[in-house]
Every structure is written in structure tokens, then in C-alpha cells.
Amino acid sequence: MVGARIRKIRLEQALSQEALALESGLSRNMIIGIEWGRKSVAYERLWDIADVLEVPVTQLLFPPDSAAQISPYRGGRRPMGG
């Protein structure tokens, strides 16, 4: 799903895979593999990709409608079933 979001944002910005690869420090083959879900991306590289795409890294990790619903765990007891 992360790869699909990267691809969607990249296409919206009319950015080629090669341009994204060059600016993020990854190979074009790696970008292709990430976008198609065939390769995993190192956690640190998500920030590089987000910087090139000029979006917060959370936009790559979560669908736009679910980002607002996710709240960080603040400690204490976790609710049952959650």
C-alpha cells in the first residue's frame, strides 16, 4: 500500500520514476519494485522519498482518510480487543 501511495503522488506531480530515484538516492529499479510491492523500502528511505515528493511521511504510510483517525498510544491500559 505504501508503494501504491508513492506511485499515486508521483504521478500527480508528473514526476518520473527516474527523477524520483535520482533525487531520493535510490535506483529506478528499486522505485519500480517499491511501487509494485515487490521490494520493501528501508524505514529511513521513506523520509528521502517524502522529501522529494514534498509530503509528510505519514501521507505515504496511511490512507488520507485514516490519518486523522489514528491516535498514538499514550500509555495506561489498552482497551480490550484493540
Side-chain angles (χ1 to χ4, degrees):
M1 293 175 66
V2 172
R5 286 188 203 83
I6 291 170
R7 178 176 165 76
K8 180 180 182 297
I9 295 166
R10 179 183 62 75
L11 291 174
E12 287 171 353
Q13 297 181 8
L15 192 64
S16 69
Q17 290 172 328
E18 188 169 350
L20 178 58
L22 288 171
E23 292 186 44
S24 66
L26 296 168
S27 71
R28 181 173 173 266
N29 285 338
M30 185 65 157
I31 295 294
I32 292 168
I34 292 167
E35 286 186 352
W36 290 100
R38 294 184 186 133
K39 294 188 180 201
S40 60
V41 59
Y43 188 68
E44 298 84 14
R45 288 304 199 175
L46 284 177
W47 269 265
D48 296 333
I49 293 170
D51 284 343
V52 173
L53 297 174
E54 297 178 346
V55 297
V57 78
T58 55
Q59 193 170 341
L60 303 180
L61 297 173
F62 306 109
D65 56 344
S66 72
Q69 298 172 1
I70 297 171
S71 58
Y73 176 64
R74 301 272 186 219
R77 286 183 60 145
R78 291 182 188 231
M80 294 286 289

